[in-house]
Amino acid sequence: MSSLSVNFLCQERCATAGKTGYNHLQTSSIGYFPAGILQVRIGLNKVSKRANSFPCVKCEKKDEPIEHVSVERPPYYSYMDSTSGQLEPASGARASIPEEEYWPEGTASRVRAARAPEPTGTSAGSPSYGKSPGSRRKKYKTPAASQSSQVSIEPSETVVPEIVEDTVDDPKDSTLDYVIYQTEPKEDEETGYELDKKFGRPHPFIDPKVKKPMEEPLTSEELWWNWRKPEKEQWSRWQRRRPDVEMVFLKAMAETGQVKLYGEIPTLTETSLYRARRHLFKEERLKAEQERLERIGPMAYYSEWVKAWKRDTSREAIQKHFEETGEDENAQLIEMFSYQTDREYRIMMGTDVRIRRDPLAMRMREDQIKQIWGGDPVYPTVNYIQDPDEVIDYRGPDFHEPTPNMLAHLKEHGKIISREELEKILAKEKTEELEMTDIDDAMARAVDIGENEDDEEEDGEVDGEGGEEEKITRNWSVLKSTPQLRKSKAKPKKEEPMSLEEAVDDSENLTDFLMDFEEEE
Amino acid sequence: MATSFVPLHQINGCFTYPRPEIKYNRCHFRGRGLSPTPCPKYRLRPTNASVETPPFPLFQPPPLEESPSQLEPADPDFYKIGYVRSMRAYGIDFKEGPDGFGVYASKDVEPLRRARVIMEIPLELMLTIRQKLPWMFFPDIVPLGHPIFDIINSTNPETDWDLRLACLLLYALDRDDNFWQLYGDFLPSADECTSLLLATEDDLSLLQDPDLASTMRNQRRRALEFWEKNWHSGVPLKIKRLARDPERFIWAVSIAQSRCINMQVRIGALVQDANMLIPYADMLNHSFQPNCFLHWRFKDRMVEVMINAGQRIKKGEEMTIDYMSGQQNHLLMQRYGFSSSVLQNPWDVIPFSGNAHIHLDSFLSVFNISGLPGEYYHNSQLADKGNNFVNGAVIAAARTLPTWSDGDVPPIPSMERKAVKELQEECQQILAQFPTTSAEDQKLLDSMPEARRTLETAIKYRLHRKLFIEKVIEALDIYQECILF
């Protein structure tokens, strides 16, 4: 911009001044142009073309050599970028290397060591390689005698290296200056196998000189692919017994001394035995509890968990109380339970986590607990790793007992009854029912179902018969299930063609006669 | 002479470097900001121009009068063999003088906030042994499979550290690809080594210090016994060639003793107390006011020699470290084979008996010594410029002289004078116990320019001792004069 203003100034001046002043101004104004600002130049050209009428304003001569801007790096390394307002490198290359303050530690010393100048100068003596220590020192005696001794020292110095030179080929340091070329190593003549090989004559594959004798083939024991039993019995960690609950518990019990094991780790047998025993003990205990409950009654049983209930809980006392107050057992139980505390309730129900349920489980060591229940769920423990081929044993403690006869077993426990008994029960049920629904005596008599009745009463009243038959008809389901009834009816029908009277007797109800006779026949 | 620039005296325990601490030297700058003399400042002008320091590379810094032309640059191979193996030296030169090697600054160093590294030496170049079992070597030098391994194994790591290091050094000198084969040429040879282990009997007798003599005799005997035990005629050649004669072994032990550096080194996760022979750092000399210290860089397992922070160094100044801080002269002599020249050891002790006590505070104020008792220094801001009397010896006097100090109780001048007189008499007595005087010793030294190193050292040792006592007497004189003020 300043250059532009200068140009305009130049124009004005040129307009006013003569041609002679033009050159001076031109040169002076050319001096203002920085090398890289071409735009201004272009503007300048335009300006100058417009101002061509003033020959003194020509700012560019034809014969002036074109200023070639070479592809050199600009003289500045960085400039203030007008767009970003920050310092920017001129060529767009990488940013400058940071100062020494920013170097990582140790860099400064390495740089300094690398920059240290190499020592110049050659040495007069040569090393003795440990033979004569102190040989390369300048030996001074005293300053007074130094001049005299120097002369003597030098020849001794030269003497010493001469002696030393015999033992040493080259001073090692001088080899640093020179590169030693190795002469072509000459080969020994090849004979025999190598010659054959070189010329392509038939030769064994292996040089007989370097051939090693064949070793004995390995026995099958030694072969690596042979399946050998490893020294340890288990060749994989998966083969060890996975710690399941019972094993760990049994081990913990053995450690606390409740159980005696044969070895350290319980074997399968011991574990299954423990399982069986535990199951049986549990059953026994449960049975005992149940039996105790039945024996002493609920009040006495549950009063164990109601510490505040001090009254007598025997059956007699309950009975007495019932007689006195009319509260039966349930009401008394309710009252007793109202004395129960929360903690006792939780204990009774067995749902309190704060109360120790299994002292053995609480007392187990960390690793034992981890073996069964695993450790931290976020950071899994060894137990997390499961054996995919594991076969889990679901067999119960009575695995080895024969399969019981379910029917007899159920029958024994009263869970099943036979069909006859069922029929009996049902019959009993049905009989009772008909007893309840008799209306009059005649009906009462007629209710008595049975084939005796039908056979006896030939001139039975129609009502009665009807009633009887009605009854039978109403209980047709009974008829279906009791084949005897049906049989009693069906038998006389089939025997012979009946007389009218017999037909009347035999007819189930009077409606038979009312019905179409075609059906009868 | 211009006033001296006084850095604080550094006190660290023995020559062991605690693990990652970087010690900072708090300096006192003169108001003028000049740092005239590059050498440690507590010293008398030496009476002669000859050096009084033993020619072992671990020596006291040379006095200023030694013209720099006597220091020649060391063999260029010295640095080159290290450079190739990634050891680096920044801004220093290795120069050799009549007294052996020394490390000198090649450019001025401004006082900086951080300590500057002047040398870094990788672990591969060093010979290290842990001070406790199980001992660890750097892998290159583990002599596994070599019978020297068993020999080292048989020693007690706590007490026989120098023998172990000596065995390791001999083994390294024998291994073909080892750096020490090259570096061994720059170690002082047996006739240049000033360690008293190599001293003969009459050298030891010339010490005029029977305790030190007997100690050295014991050490030598112990080394000899060890050699005889493990290098008897029946040993395999692999061992035999390491030290064919006991002199070589004793030389190795003396090298190990005098050049060993004890550092707490952390490698990996393990922090170990290691005895290390560090190649280029052992060319640093000792000074009681050092300007450098050693640091273990854990990251790439290098030992760095670093200039104390805030220390201004002129070009040509010698770089020095503190070998064993706070130790008396005879310990320095025993271990390193040199004694503190020009009366600079501020920790020397004169065994005074008797009841005479001088007032500590007035003594200190007369000489403008300030600081805590563990770190006395000459506070030259208080003193006038011309006083050069106070040096390490005076500080040592301040420590060793029996003093009393009782809060605000002022000293009674007459009593003080009496006490001073008594102390001076004691000193004279001690001096008289020596067979020779200091002047005679000095003459002796001058007359033997080409004496054996150990002989020179022994004589210097006793000379220094006497000079020290004389200095104490002088100091007491001055104190007496100034007592009224």
Side-chain angles (χ1 to χ4, degrees):
Chain A
M1 279 194 270
S2 59
S3 43
L4 267 174
S5 60
V6 166
N7 291 336
F8 286 129
L9 193 61
C10 156
Q11 269 183 1
E12 285 164 357
R13 282 210 201 137
C14 289
T16 52
K19 201 173 180 182
T20 51
Y22 161 68
N23 284 332
H24 170 68
L25 281 170
Q26 188 190 17
T27 47
S28 63
S29 61
I30 280 177
Y32 281 98
F33 302 157
I37 303 183
L38 293 171
Q39 295 145 352
V40 177
R41 255 212 135 162
I42 292 165
L44 181 66
N45 289 336
K46 287 183 195 152
V47 164
S48 65
K49 292 233 169 73
R50 252 185 274 130
N52 251 342
S53 55
F54 301 95
C56 62
V57 189
K58 253 196 305 186
C59 296
E60 203 174 306
K61 285 193 190 151
K62 289 276 164 67
D63 49 353
E64 192 184 317
I66 298 169
E67 198 174 301
H68 295 279
V69 180
S70 61
V71 199
E72 287 166 359
R73 298 182 64 184
Y76 51 89
Y77 300 109
S78 58
Y79 60 94
M80 291 296 278
D81 192 10
S82 53
T83 30
S84 65
Q86 285 163 10
L87 216 57
E88 195 168 302
S91 54
R94 64 162 292 170
S96 54
I97 294 171
E99 301 281 310
E100 187 167 336
E101 298 92 49
Y102 297 98
W103 290 351
E105 61 164 295
T107 310
S109 58
R110 290 176 63 188
V111 164
R112 190 185 55 205
R115 281 190 192 154
E118 272 201 37
T120 52
T122 48
S123 151
S126 62
S128 69
Y129 299 110
K131 303 287 181 304
S132 51
S135 56
R136 294 174 93 182
R137 288 165 77 99
K138 300 177 171 60
K139 294 181 181 45
Y140 290 89
K141 295 295 178 187
T142 51
S146 61
Q147 285 83 22
S148 57
S149 56
Q150 258 173 16
V151 179
S152 56
I153 281 171
E154 274 161 15
S156 64
E157 264 189 347
T158 51
V159 162
V160 167
E162 278 170 6
I163 296 173
V164 169
E165 261 168 22
D166 294 335
T167 55
V168 175
D169 292 331
D170 275 327
K172 279 185 184 170
D173 302 300
S174 61
T175 57
L176 294 168
D177 300 334
Y178 301 102
V179 177
I180 298 175
Y181 290 97
Q182 235 182 353
T183 53
E184 196 76 26
K186 65 175 187 72
E187 278 180 27
D188 293 335
E189 235 182 59
E190 291 167 0
T191 53
Y193 175 76
E194 278 133 16
L195 211 60
D196 281 345
K197 197 167 179 182
K198 198 160 138 195
F199 287 125
R201 287 201 282 264
H203 61 278
F205 282 122
I206 305 173
D207 190 2
K209 284 195 282 283
V210 298
K211 182 172 161 179
K212 284 185 284 222
M214 260 195 342
E215 293 160 0
E216 281 268 325
L218 297 173
T219 62
S220 56
E221 285 300 308
E222 294 163 6
L223 289 173
W224 66 267
W225 56 80
N226 184 27
W227 291 112
R228 293 184 288 273
K229 274 246 178 289
E231 302 78 28
K232 291 193 326 157
E233 278 153 20
Q234 299 173 348
W235 53 267
S236 147
R237 263 186 92 238
W238 294 112
Q239 281 190 331
R240 66 180 176 85
R241 287 219 60 195
R242 307 283 315 156
D244 53 340
V245 183
E246 273 111 28
M247 206 170 87
V248 175
F249 260 89
L250 190 53
K251 190 154 188 304
M253 278 170 70
E255 277 168 20
T256 56
Q258 303 173 29
V259 162
K260 194 150 153 49
L261 292 180
Y262 189 67
E264 269 190 32
I265 306 172
T267 58
L268 285 160
T269 320
E270 280 169 349
T271 313
S272 52
L273 191 64
Y274 159 81
R275 276 163 87 177
R277 278 226 196 98
R278 192 183 64 180
H279 180 79
L280 287 174
F281 286 152
K282 183 174 174 190
E283 274 186 7
E284 266 183 23
R285 179 66 190 271
L286 286 178
K287 235 190 264 185
E289 291 289 318
Q290 230 179 6
E291 186 258 334
R292 184 167 153 249
L293 172 61
E294 284 164 19
R295 193 164 37 90
I296 59 180
M299 284 285 286
Y301 186 75
Y302 292 115
S303 65
E304 180 190 343
W305 289 286
V306 186
K307 291 282 179 308
W309 187 258
K310 300 282 188 280
R311 303 175 208 169
D312 190 7
T313 53
S314 59
R315 284 191 193 268
E316 298 78 25
I318 296 170
Q319 189 66 31
K320 215 162 65 113
H321 190 87
F322 172 62
E323 286 156 11
E324 285 168 13
T325 54
E327 289 173 350
D328 61 343
E329 198 171 38
N330 285 339
Q332 291 183 44
L333 266 175
I334 290 167
E335 196 191 334
M336 181 177 82
F337 277 128
S338 67
Y339 282 79
Q340 194 185 36
T341 67
D342 190 30
R343 186 184 169 87
E344 285 167 349
Y345 175 75
R346 280 202 300 269
I347 295 174
M348 189 176 78
M349 300 309 289
T351 53
D352 191 5
V353 292
R354 293 176 286 176
I355 294 156
R356 297 175 162 221
R357 308 286 307 151
D358 188 347
L360 181 63
M362 290 304 139
R363 280 185 226 135
M364 284 208 301
R365 289 194 313 266
E366 253 329 290
D367 56 325
Q368 286 173 330
I369 292 177
K370 273 200 176 145
Q371 275 184 322
I372 309 172
W373 293 293
D376 196 329
V378 178
Y379 296 104
T381 56
V382 181
N383 209 35
Y384 180 74
I385 304 166
Q386 286 158 5
D387 181 9
D389 303 329
E390 183 183 353
V391 175
I392 306 176
D393 189 3
Y394 297 108
R395 302 175 285 194
D398 50 356
F399 168 71
H400 292 287
E401 289 167 12
T403 319
N405 186 3
M406 289 304 298
L407 195 60
H409 180 259
L410 290 171
K411 253 201 186 162
E412 195 187 320
H413 287 271
K415 307 247 194 283
I416 278 183
I417 55 170
S418 57
R419 199 178 279 270
E420 289 84 13
E421 285 178 25
L422 178 64
E423 280 173 19
K424 260 192 250 148
I425 292 169
L426 286 173
K428 246 191 280 170
E429 282 178 8
K430 189 166 166 250
T431 312
E432 287 178 15
E433 200 177 329
L434 288 174
E435 267 184 46
M436 301 294 277
T437 57
D438 71 322
I439 304 164
D440 49 341
D441 287 338
M443 285 300 205
R445 263 199 300 136
V447 163
D448 192 10
I449 303 170
E451 48 183 24
N452 303 332
E453 293 251 358
D454 286 335
D455 291 339
E456 286 171 13
E457 280 188 86
E458 293 182 6
D459 48 295
E461 292 166 349
V462 178
D463 291 275
E465 281 191 304
E468 185 194 322
E469 280 154 22
E470 265 183 52
K471 295 293 170 236
I472 295 173
T473 317
R474 239 182 280 143
N475 298 326
W476 59 268
S477 57
V478 177
L479 203 63
K480 274 195 184 152
S481 53
T482 40
Q484 295 154 332
L485 291 175
R486 194 174 280 163
K487 204 169 106 180
S488 64
K489 297 296 172 275
K491 234 199 249 178
K493 257 190 201 174
K494 291 168 189 172
E495 280 178 4
E496 67 219 6
M498 293 174 231
S499 65
L500 184 63
E501 290 163 351
E502 287 171 1
V504 169
D505 290 334
D506 275 342
S507 68
E508 292 184 2
N509 50 41
L510 280 176
T511 53
D512 287 344
F513 297 100
L514 300 174
M515 288 168 67
D516 294 333
F517 286 97
E518 295 84 36
E519 277 186 52
E520 271 275 77
E521 292 166 8
Chain B
M1 195 167 153
T3 47
S4 34
F5 152 71
V6 178
L8 241 195
H9 179 65
Q10 294 270 343
I11 312 297
N12 318 305
C14 282
F15 192 55
T16 53
Y17 286 87
R19 216 187 60 189
E21 290 170 26
I22 295 184
K23 301 180 305 201
Y24 292 98
N25 195 14
R26 294 182 299 277
C27 323
H28 284 259
F29 289 92
R30 301 265 103 180
R32 289 115 204 112
L34 291 179
S35 74
T37 53
C39 304
K41 304 311 162 258
Y42 296 138
R43 53 178 193 77
L44 268 185
R45 210 169 303 199
T47 48
N48 57 349
S50 75
V51 288
E52 52 274 74
T53 54
F56 199 68
L58 315 169
F59 61 75
Q60 289 287 351
L64 187 59
E65 278 70 10
E66 182 173 312
S67 48
S69 65
Q70 289 201 348
L71 289 175
E72 288 188 9
D75 200 314
D77 256 5
F78 181 65
Y79 180 45
K80 198 182 279 195
I81 54 180
Y83 185 88
V84 168
R85 288 164 178 82
S86 65
M87 168 259 166
R88 293 287 180 269
Y90 306 105
I92 52 171
D93 287 328
F94 294 98
K95 292 213 175 90
E96 247 187 294
D99 300 328
F101 269 82
V103 178
Y104 298 87
S106 64
K107 56 179 189 180
D108 288 348
V109 177
E110 296 291 307
L112 299 153
R113 213 169 254 275
R114 273 175 42 206
R116 293 287 134 156
V117 177
I118 52 172
M119 268 202 278
E120 49 188 26
I121 301 131
L123 179 60
E124 294 85 11
L125 300 187
M126 309 195 284
L127 295 174
T128 59
I129 283 197
R130 203 173 160 213
Q131 260 185 345
K132 285 199 284 207
L133 288 174
W135 24 274
M136 300 175 171
F137 311 115
F138 187 74
D140 263 352
I141 321 256
V142 173
L144 280 179
H146 198 277
I148 197 84
F149 185 79
D150 305 309
I151 294 178
I152 296 181
N153 217 357
S154 65
T155 59
N156 180 4
E158 312 265 347
T159 57
D160 298 336
W161 55 270
D162 48 353
L163 300 176
R164 284 150 69 89
L165 265 181
C167 291
L168 208 56
L169 174 66
L170 289 172
Y171 171 70
L173 286 174
D174 197 43
R175 282 232 345 208
D176 276 335
D177 49 355
N178 204 309
F179 170 73
W180 284 83
Q181 275 199 340
L182 303 171
Y183 188 76
D185 296 333
F186 298 100
L187 291 175
S189 55
D191 51 348
E192 213 181 331
C193 188
T194 60
S195 174
L196 284 179
L197 270 183
L198 304 164
T200 57
E201 271 303 320
D202 42 324
D203 291 344
L204 288 181
S205 64
L206 283 176
L207 269 180
Q208 297 179 0
D209 183 354
D211 291 332
L212 185 58
S214 61
T215 314
M216 295 316 303
R217 274 190 210 105
N218 282 340
Q219 297 254 359
R220 194 187 159 85
R221 191 179 43 83
R222 169 174 160 260
L224 262 180
E225 276 176 10
F226 187 81
W227 184 84
E228 274 161 22
K229 187 172 109 174
N230 292 300
W231 265 268
H232 55 271
S233 54
V235 294
L237 180 63
K238 269 190 186 177
I239 295 196
K240 212 186 274 192
R241 51 184 277 165
L242 295 183
R244 294 219 180 250
D245 37 14
E247 281 76 28
R248 184 163 162 93
F249 182 71
I250 292 182
W251 167 82
V253 175
S254 66
I255 294 276
Q257 268 191 359
S258 51
R259 299 175 91 96
C260 164
I261 295 173
N262 250 346
M263 277 181 82
Q264 270 208 327
V265 146
R266 179 183 168 207
I267 293 188
L270 180 66
V271 176
Q272 44 182 335
D273 278 306
N275 296 318
M276 319 210 287
L277 286 175
I278 309 182
Y280 292 84
D282 52 9
M283 290 302 182
L284 291 162
N285 293 316
H286 168 82
S287 158
F288 292 103
Q289 288 84 31
N291 45 20
C292 304
F293 60 97
L294 295 185
H295 177 241
W296 168 257
R297 188 162 61 196
F298 160 72
K299 190 162 170 72
D300 43 3
R301 297 183 186 173
M302 287 195 152
V303 165
E304 305 171 319
V305 180
M306 307 178 83
I307 300 180
N308 281 327
Q311 182 100 5
R312 179 187 295 252
I313 311 251
K314 296 283 284 180
K315 177 169 173 180
E317 198 177 323
E318 173 151 25
M319 301 286 124
T320 55
I321 54 177
D322 199 350
Y323 291 173
M324 315 161 84
S325 52
Q327 301 297 333
Q328 302 177 32
N329 243 1
H330 68 273
L331 286 178
L332 282 177
M333 187 66 184
Q334 172 194 335
R335 174 91 181 258
Y336 298 109
F338 69 93
S339 59
S340 71
S341 75
V342 290
L343 309 168
Q344 284 169 33
N345 188 354
W347 291 94
D348 227 347
V349 163
I350 300 176
F352 287 104
S353 54
N355 290 329
H357 292 264
I358 56 173
H359 192 224
L360 176 67
D361 303 326
S362 41
F363 186 84
L364 293 177
S365 64
V366 162
F367 292 107
N368 294 309
I369 297 172
S370 37
L372 295 173
E375 28 181 58
Y376 283 140
Y377 66 96
H378 178 63
N379 194 343
S380 26
Q381 283 174 356
L382 295 176
D384 30 327
K385 282 188 354 182
N387 192 358
N388 257 358
F389 179 72
V390 183
N391 64 2
V394 178
I395 294 186
R399 285 204 187 98
T400 63
L401 285 173
T403 56
W404 64 273
S405 170
D406 199 5
D408 282 339
V409 175
I412 305 174
S414 53
M415 289 196 52
E416 288 296 313
R417 283 219 197 87
K418 241 196 304 180
V420 162
K421 279 211 181 61
E422 282 186 29
L423 290 172
Q424 280 183 336
E425 274 176 25
E426 260 197 83
C427 291
Q428 296 284 2
Q429 274 177 14
I430 295 174
L431 267 185
Q433 279 170 4
F434 286 115
T436 61
T437 65
S438 57
E440 289 170 9
D441 285 338
Q442 193 65 57
K443 249 196 290 186
L444 194 57
L445 263 185
D446 294 339
S447 68
M448 304 188 312
E450 293 197 25
R452 266 194 324 272
R453 293 296 189 190
T454 46
L455 184 60
E456 257 186 87
T457 318
I459 298 181
K460 276 186 201 162
Y461 173 73
R462 73 187 195 201
L463 171 65
H464 293 153
R465 187 117 187 106
K466 288 167 200 148
L467 283 177
F468 175 58
I469 299 178
E470 283 170 12
K471 181 84 175 189
V472 170
I473 297 174
E474 276 187 56
L476 283 172
D477 272 336
I478 295 182
Y479 173 65
Q480 204 175 26
E481 287 166 26
C482 302
I483 207 169
L484 281 175
F485 301 117

